[in-house]
């Protein structure tokens, strides 16, 4: 099988998103080889399969110690590092490498005030933000194809924006959207906090960021340009995000609202419009976003539901989708449209 | 220990709610004895502990075959039968027994049209509905003390009404309340439907009754008298309900909204107001309803969260709370305020 | 991409194993097309994606009504029907089609008495059993390549036989093997039994077939030819089997036991020997069997652990592995060695 | 209601076992008051309900800073501290307080070599070990009634010893017992290790301490005096332990083995012998140990299954059972025989 020859590196290979990217690289039809980097000296020279036995088939693939210099002349670099790291290394990195796909939040927000408000600190190289494209192919496909630098959207943001964009773009929403978010625990990565212990999570359920202050709201309002109230909840499951948007339509648009969505997503390979209840389980391990628009009888209200796999369409998969576009590959290459069930 | 002597019967002992009521009767300080009835001939004479080994300590307690006649002269009868059964047997039952606590939906709705609309059929003895009190002690305590017949509220209804009643009663809500409901699977009892199989439920998440047509809406609007949009979701956990209400306040009331709740629930033994995120896990196995009111900065919106154990405060526990009031016992008798964790 | 042209049919497409096979066919590099059959008239003409929304990408693929005649001239037929169905249809089917891969238990047991004992009834066409090869490539690869008819092993059997075969073949085991089996709930398919409801399964754990009478024992002893005691347990998870075998080694073999395994599985693409604790999670969605051999200090005992995904290596994946061998494809085609995690 | 007046203290109140003890104290019919201690200065003066909202009904109950002096003149002290802490503080504590119930492993092992072997270090006050009784009432009830100092058994040890003691005491076991242990994640407390994160645990399953070197083996062999191989496994559930013991009986005893168990546990309030499959779910939140003895047809082997709630009969409940005996209360006081289900 033909494989494209390029130098491809992944920084932050040992986090959850990094591990999923590693798997996707491994099974991608056109990626011949790739290098894994970690900022932890303790990981230098360690086989990734020793840390993650499910990657045993990658026997021999070792972690390398990251530095901006060591990535010199790489064609593509994926950054799956914690928020805040990208902005530290970007000024140097950007001079060394070809194209950069950043999965962190550092280069998503174009408005300086919004960034400072939601992230509670000054950005360290805000002047670079405008060189980054927002990596949501369903909105910015053509821009992404030509982009050198991509800021991959947040997981909640992806599901919310895809659920509301057709209405928001057409200016059909009246008043604020009330958005209820539900996420599996992998959204928190492997963070060692008692809130994410099995014993604490299982058979429980709770909201968080309850003051309409979740950081992803900055992205949602940037892209949708409508007022919204958003509250996320932690669900006792590993993967999956379900968004329920309670929205009032401007008068006269209710009859055509389903068509608005059909038209918007007509040729999208990964958007699956359905006319019944969505389930996160129906998109797990795929790059799909499944959307259902439900009309509330004899009223102007509708409820829009969207589901994604937060680690795929909400992170690693979307990054790979952008990569495919930037590299000139088939957009779906290495990404699933059908996942295992149940 | 002193125990009150009364004839107490439970019809529908083999369903989930019946099993929890059986346990609560067994450990109630003032219930000396009780009889368990089932409508299934196959269960006649069977020990409940043979069906439910966790009830092994009730060794010798056998199921009896239900008929309205066999309950003659019972002081208290609990009906934990499926919806629709109560209205079949009530005309005869009501002449035979002292007091009746019906956990089904049959006698909750006072408006004939609402009943027909949400339940999709004609009620078989609607003329009896007005003899029933709505068994929510936080609103109808004094009425319940004197009542002969109680319709115990639905699980979602309990959590929603308790979350919104202080505002609704004081006419502080502007426009509709958008209510997102999350429930564990035990809300469906032991119904044999593939939707409730472990393999289908675990690691999944989905909305249902997505057209604002969940039956409990009839109760919510009856008690709250405000417009509302309500959508329930099935969560991969056994017990627990979490309600997230997105509400706009009428102008000028935001500063005092917390006090409104404090005043409303000042002396309530089972309402726990907290100033941080609620978790269903913090109320499991108790009769508590824990409520948090969260203000959205620089806006008129608030989010109210409430959590209950759907089988306790949402069913068996609330029925027992009503029973305690009707029997003149301490309202908290046999009910937990602190449950096991985690 | 080149795709082989053949007529390929799947009978029993709507069960869990059928659904996984459908997915594997869809993503198989050399399968161009396939037909899905169901024995239920109600399913005739229904789109599989209407029953299983995660298969939405197969839009247009309809279920057909099964009969032995309709499969005439098919090159390959997979039977994912319930146990007992294959033996009903096999005499007719075998005259109509090319090659048959039966995932049921009907043609696994070569000893008539063993079949009757473990399955509690007479076989309906036992004379055909000897035409079937036992579809475990790690033991019968060459035979499978030439076979027309395959009986795919049971899920527990696969994990147990692979864990013990290197020792059993070399006659190194002393006395009986004590085998503890743990399985996720999908092992029971979508059977509507209250034992498999989420509320009953989650946060619980129980053994079953506790009298050493699980049906898969017939296969295990047929292939291993050693005495064994086996007890399976139901675990609150969807997929995965973990086998823990407590075994005494014949004197003098302890030092070399790891090498015995290494030699036995040297070139096996899907056997992953590891020197630390295995986890079912490390093989989910793959066709791997991961095995660890642990020596108990200063004694003749060892514990062998093996893990598989019961729906892949324990069913659909193993069937496809056999198919690849029979069709002359690469053995690994369409099967994962690395799955998503976590 | 009468309540006994005593000074009762709990050290280590903020761990999982401490939290369950706190709840049990709160609902115990004869415990009027109790004090909660923590060794962390940061906790000093903090309300326990602020750390654990499910304890909201204990509003006002504050944590105090632990020191051996501050416990002077306490009648009863429970130690729910991590292993190793008790032996640091015991020499001083033992001179200050009346009776001590230690839930750690520090004073369970009577053989100095066994302690050093399994715990990998020297004991700091081994001379005190003999003053402690092993707190398993089913074996040492009379000794416990008179004891001043109790070492509460480990969770696995409790389930294993209760499953095998009737046979071991009567010398009926031939050869080693092969014991497979399955435990929920709460056995690890709230330890912050990625192995216990929800995302890592759910839908997974793995053995640990795979070299027959789990520390509880020291207790099991001390009490049972038979050779055994024991391997524990981590199960994706919060609470519950299930033990499956594969045992060969000495010749001639098979017919009477059930009676051996019946006689041994005739009057035990918390031992529930059943003649079908046990489930951990049937004992959750209770102090019960449910046991099933299953004969393997036409062989000398039997399989004994036992289940407990690891935090109750395996820790806090058993400690309270010992306390009841030491204080002269009803042995069952404050402990459940019937728990909520499901």
């Amino acid at each position: 099988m033909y494989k494209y020859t390029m130098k491809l590196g992944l920084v932050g290979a040992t986090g959850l998103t990094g591990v999923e990217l590693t798997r996707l690289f491994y099974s991608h039809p056109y990626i011949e080889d790739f290098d894994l980097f970690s900022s932890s000296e303790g990981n230098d020279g360690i086989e990734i399969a020793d840390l993650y036995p499910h990657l045993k088939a990658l026997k021999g693939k070792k972690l390398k110690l990251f530095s901006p210099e060591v990535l010199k002349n790489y064609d593509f670099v994926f950054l799956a590092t914690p928020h805040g790291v990208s902005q530290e290394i970007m000024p140097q990195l950007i001079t060394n490498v070809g194209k950069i796909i950043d999965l962190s939040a550092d280069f998503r927000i174009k408005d300086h005030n919004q960034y400072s408000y939601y992230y509670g600190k000054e950005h360290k190289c805000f002047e670079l933000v405008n060189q980054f494209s927002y990596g949501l192919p369903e909105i910015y496909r053509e821009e992404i194809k030509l982009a050198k630098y991509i800021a991959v959207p947040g997981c909640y943001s992806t599901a919310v924006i895809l659920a509301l964009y057709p209405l928001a773009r057409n200016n059909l929403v009246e008043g604020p959207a009330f958005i209820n978010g539900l996420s599996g625990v992998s959204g928190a990565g492997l963070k060692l906090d008692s809130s994410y212990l099995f014993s604490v999570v299982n058979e429980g359920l709770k909201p968080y960021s309850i003051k309409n202050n979740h950081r992803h709201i900055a992205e949602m309002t940037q892209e949708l340009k409508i007022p919204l109230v958003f509250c996320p909840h932690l669900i006792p499951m590993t993967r999956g995000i379900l968004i329920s948007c309670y929205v009032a339509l401007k008068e006269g648009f209710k009859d055509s609202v389903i068509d608005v969505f059909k038209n918007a997503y007509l040729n999208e390979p990964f958007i699956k419009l359905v006319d019944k209840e969505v389930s996160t389980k129906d998109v797990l391990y795929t790059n799909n976003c499944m959307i259902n628009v439900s009309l509330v009888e004899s009223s102007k209200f509708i409820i829009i539901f969207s589901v994604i796999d937060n680690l795929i369409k909400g992170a690693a998969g979307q990054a790979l989708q952008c990569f495919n576009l930037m590299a000139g590959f088939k957009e779906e290459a290495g990404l699933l449209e059908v996942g295992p069930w149940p």
Side-chain angles (χ1 to χ4, degrees), chain A residues 114 117-118 156-157 159-165 168 173-181 209-232 243-248:
Chain A
Q114 285 280 300
Y117 177 79
Y118 280 102
Y156 279 124
S157 320
V160 167
I161 295 169
L162 291 175
L164 287 172
Y165 188 72
V173 180
E174 180 188 299
F178 297 93
I179 306 170
N180 200 82
S209 298
I210 58 178
K211 298 198 174 299
N212 205 35
N213 57 359
H214 191 278
R215 290 169 164 189
H216 288 182
I217 293 174
E219 294 171 55
M220 299 173 195
T221 52
Q222 169 176 290
E223 300 301 322
L224 294 172
K225 298 179 179 63
I226 60 170
L228 53 85
V229 177
F230 170 71
C231 182
I243 297 294
S244 306
C245 305
Y246 301 85
V247 174

Side-chain angles (χ1 to χ4, degrees), chain A residues 143-199:
Chain A
E143 183 180 330
I144 292 166
K145 285 180 184 170
L146 305 171
K148 286 190 70 177
Y149 310 121
I150 295 287
V152 181
C155 50
Y156 279 124
S157 320
T158 297
V160 167
I161 295 169
L162 291 175
L164 287 172
Y165 188 72
L167 298 183
R169 180 182 53 181
N170 290 296
N171 199 22
L172 302 182
V173 180
E174 180 188 299
F178 297 93
I179 306 170
N180 200 82
L182 308 177
S183 174
V185 186
S186 64
L190 294 175
K191 192 174 172 193
L192 289 182
D193 182 301
S194 66
S195 303
Y196 307 125
L197 291 174
F198 183 91
S199 297

